[in-house]
Amino acid sequence: MTLAQSAHKKAKALRPGARRPAKELCSECGLCDTYYIHYVKEACAFLNQQFPELETQTHGRDRHLEDETEQYFGVHQDMMAARKKEPIEGAQWTGIVSSIAIAMLTQGQVEGVVCVQNTEADRFQPKPVIATTPEEIFRLGSTSPPCRRTFLYWSKSSSPA
């Protein structure tokens, strides 16, 4: 391990309710809630308004501002909307994401699927869990809007479960 790799573990997360470095532009991604705040100057697109550079680095070009869709969604190859013709019973929407995750798991393309549950104490606080069977995906799967603090869980443990 190099000094650069371990330096972030010495960083202190912001206390709850503290003003974020990106201020009112903050997307509440959760990076500042962990010791990964060490990387916020490079990682936060809102701090330096570095969207064109990040888009070029990732996609080979920045967004075409004359394209209304790219103004809103950024650089993309294609966009689609999908739903299952026969929804999974009890699914929040139709269960299409759970179906894709289960297919990837059963075909051996992935070893586990990160599912986000709500905590027992607060339904708006996410609790990420790794599902390793289709049954766990069915039990754990649902759309959870507050994904923000997922970083916090992964930074606290090297073996999340």
Side-chain angles (χ1 to χ4, degrees), residues 62-160:
D62 61 344
R63 68 185 70 195
H64 296 139
L65 295 176
E66 66 280 354
D67 180 338
E68 201 172 304
T69 304
E70 283 203 9
Q71 279 182 5
Y72 187 74
F73 293 106
V75 179
H76 59 279
Q77 290 179 344
D78 200 2
M79 271 198 253
M80 298 172 230
R83 65 179 176 183
K84 289 180 62 90
K85 290 181 180 177
E86 296 178 25
I88 295 174
E89 187 176 332
Q92 184 170 1
W93 301 104
T94 63
I96 193 164
V97 173
S98 295
S99 297
I100 292 168
I102 288 167
M104 291 181 74
L105 187 65
T106 57
Q107 293 170 14
Q109 295 177 351
V110 296
E111 295 177 19
V113 175
V114 178
C115 298
V116 181
Q117 292 184 300
N118 297 325
T119 65
E120 295 78 22
D122 182 352
R123 70 183 186 101
F124 292 108
Q125 290 297 317
K127 177 183 175 185
V129 179
I130 298 177
T132 56
T133 67
E135 294 76 26
E136 287 177 327
I137 292 173
F138 278 124
R139 184 171 52 81
L140 299 170
S142 84
T143 302
S144 180
C147 292
R148 148 177 196 267
R149 296 190 55 110
T150 303
F151 278 120
L152 182 60
Y153 289 95
W154 298 135
S155 69
K156 284 186 176 179
S157 170
S158 60
S159 57

